[in-house]
């Protein structure tokens, strides 16, 4: 399985990434956008068969102008999927779920609500990882990923949905998640002085990711909790307000 390295995910980066393909059977590609219709162009280049839309947040509001524009840009991926393809959508995000109306292929939704195709409960997180129970029809599958943050229940559900599409058994998916590589700067735990623990979340910040960080901090057992805030990039005129 090929994946685009780093942030090789835009008009210039994705072609460079694709140039590194070396006979892999599958390619997992991130598609970024800093202007309208960029995802449409990237989809025309890559011809995706499975499209995953995780959420619509403020991360690119400086470039695209607002949440509705961001949703309109991300739906380009869903529109580009062939009739025999598959769209995997976050059913807990109203703007993402609305993309189902423009889907001409098969559809799977994931979330914490039992109305989704795959849904999860019993979510808990700690410094060594996050666990949940995923419901697949009448089956329950225990999943764990070695990343801190309740929001990684969604990470695991998306991985499960795509893995099942390509024929992986639930046990194999669960085993694969256990070996997920660490994500530097994304709530990465590190030992501090006097028994303290530092959570390094310095990769970037948006209102949604910072809310997730605060939620994670409050879920971890601690005698005292400190938050050191940096700036929020890519929010344009809204950066100072946020």
């Amino acid at each position: 399985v090929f994946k685009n390295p780093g942030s090789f995910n835009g008009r210039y980066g994705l072609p460079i990434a694709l140039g590194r393909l070396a006979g892999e059977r599958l390619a997992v590609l991130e598609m970024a956008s800093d202007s309208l219709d960029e995802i449409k162009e990237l989809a025309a280049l890559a011809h995706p068969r499975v499209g995953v839309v995780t959420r619509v947040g403020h991360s690119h509001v400086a470039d695209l102008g607002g949440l509705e524009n961001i949703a309109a840009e991300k739906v380009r991926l869903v529109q580009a999927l062939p009739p025999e393809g598959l769209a995997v959508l976050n059913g807990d995000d109203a703007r993402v779920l609305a993309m189902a109306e423009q889907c001409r292929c098969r559809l799977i939704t994931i979330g914490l609500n039992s109305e989704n195709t795959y849904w999860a409960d019993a979510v808990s997180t700690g410094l060594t990882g996050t666990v949940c129970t995923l419901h697949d029809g009448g089956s329950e599958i225990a999943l764990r990923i070695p990343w801190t943050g309740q929001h990684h229940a969604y990470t695991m559900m998306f991985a499960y949905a795509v893995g099942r599409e390509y024929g992986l058994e639930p046990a194999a998916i669960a085993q694969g998640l256990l070996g997920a590589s660490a994500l530097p700067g994304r709530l990465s735990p590190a030992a501090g002085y006097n028994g303290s623990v530092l959570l390094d979340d310095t990769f970037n910040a948006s209102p949604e990711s910072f809310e997730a960080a605060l939620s994670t901090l409050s879920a971890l057992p601690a005698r005292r909790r400190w938050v050191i805030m940096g700036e929020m990039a890519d929010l344009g005129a809204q950066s100072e307000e946020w």
Side-chain angles (χ1 to χ4, degrees):
V1 176
F2 174 87
K3 66 172 182 176
N4 58 298
S7 294
F8 286 66
N9 53 17
R11 282 190 178 97
Y12 305 108
L14 192 64
I16 295 173
L18 292 173
R20 299 182 181 181
L21 281 166
E24 293 90 348
R25 188 170 67 88
L26 296 173
V28 180
L29 305 173
E30 179 187 26
M31 293 185 179
S33 175
D34 56 16
S35 61
L36 292 174
D37 280 339
E38 182 168 359
I39 289 178
K40 181 178 180 180
E41 296 172 13
L42 296 176
L45 174 72
H47 302 286
R49 299 181 61 83
V50 174
V52 175
V53 183
T54 56
R55 71 179 305 166
V56 172
H58 288 80
S59 294
H60 303 286
V61 72
D63 297 314
L64 297 174
L67 293 179
E68 296 307 322
N69 286 345
I70 294 171
E73 176 65 2
K74 291 193 174 189
V75 79
R76 300 299 194 209
L77 174 59
V78 176
Q79 295 169 340
L81 297 171
E84 67 275 14
L86 173 68
V88 184
L89 304 180
N90 182 347
D92 292 347
D93 185 315
R95 289 184 176 87
V96 176
L97 185 59
M99 297 178 189
E101 300 175 2
Q102 300 190 49
C103 180
R104 56 176 181 149
C105 62
R106 291 175 295 125
L107 174 66
I108 285 176
T109 64
I110 64 95
L112 302 180
N113 188 314
S114 61
E115 295 180 359
N116 291 294
T117 312
Y118 301 129
W119 62 283
D121 60 5
V123 180
S124 64
T125 193
L127 295 176
T128 60
T130 302
V131 300
C132 72
T133 299
L134 183 141
H135 298 264
D136 179 354
S139 300
E140 295 184 358
I141 300 95
L143 299 178
R144 180 184 182 279
I145 196 168
W147 299 346
T148 300
Q150 299 100 318
H151 51 287
H152 286 307
Y154 290 89
T155 308
M156 292 187 278
M157 285 187 281
F158 280 120
Y160 183 91
V162 176
R164 293 294 286 153
E165 171 69 6
Y166 283 100
L168 292 179
E169 293 297 324
I173 298 171
Q175 185 63 36
L177 287 169
L178 290 175
S181 301
L183 295 174
R186 295 174 174 90
L187 287 178
S188 306
Y193 287 114
N194 298 322
S196 64
V197 176
L198 307 178
L199 289 177
D200 174 10
D201 201 42
T202 54
F203 176 79
N204 202 345
S206 69
E208 291 82 9
S209 69
F210 189 62
E211 183 178 23
L214 292 177
S215 177
T216 299
L217 185 66
S218 68
L220 297 174
R223 182 168 55 88
R224 288 188 298 171
R225 299 175 179 86
W226 292 73
V227 177
I228 302 171
M229 292 180 59
E231 296 178 355
M232 291 191 184
D234 304 322
L235 300 183
Q238 298 184 30
S239 288
E240 185 174 349
E241 176 185 354
W242 282 110

